[in-house]
Amino acid sequence: MFDNKRLGRLKWACRRGMLELDVLFMPFVEHGFAELDDEKKLVFERLLTFDDPDLYAWFMGHLACHDDEIKAMIGHILSRVKV
């Protein structure tokens, strides 16, 4: 499903305009993406289509995301962050 070309585009999409998002997405796509099932991979790909200000607000908890799949993916990514 995610051939090298599509995976390359996905990695490029993880390079955002905000450092705060880069430090979340880049390690996740390198170390956690392969563990997802195909359905969750599509959710992650869809997550990357949202604008940076929305993503930042959701990840920082400033606003609630009303899409349950995206909200679950945000929680999954945040659970993998090492503090």
Side-chain angles (χ1 to χ4, degrees):
M1 174 185 232
F2 277 84
D3 60 11
N4 287 338
K5 186 175 182 178
R6 188 171 181 184
L7 186 57
R9 277 188 255 129
L10 186 77
K11 287 179 180 180
W12 183 257
C14 287
R15 297 173 51 100
R16 310 303 289 203
M18 299 179 80
L19 178 62
E20 295 86 351
L21 296 176
D22 287 349
V23 299
L24 291 170
F25 292 151
M26 294 305 294
F28 179 77
V29 79
E30 291 292 333
H31 304 289
F33 182 75
E35 299 170 5
L36 299 175
D37 62 31
D38 288 342
E39 184 180 323
K40 298 269 192 293
K41 287 178 180 179
L42 291 173
V43 172
F44 181 72
E45 187 176 48
R46 189 163 60 89
L47 172 76
L48 296 177
T49 67
F50 289 94
D51 293 331
D52 286 358
D54 293 329
L55 291 170
Y56 179 80
W58 295 336
F59 273 93
M60 298 303 130
H62 300 299
L63 290 175
C65 176
H66 299 293
D67 182 311
D68 290 337
E69 288 181 324
I70 298 296
K71 187 187 317 184
M73 181 58 63
I74 290 168
H76 179 71
I77 293 169
L78 288 174
S79 74
R80 296 181 55 92
V81 174
K82 295 181 179 164
V83 263

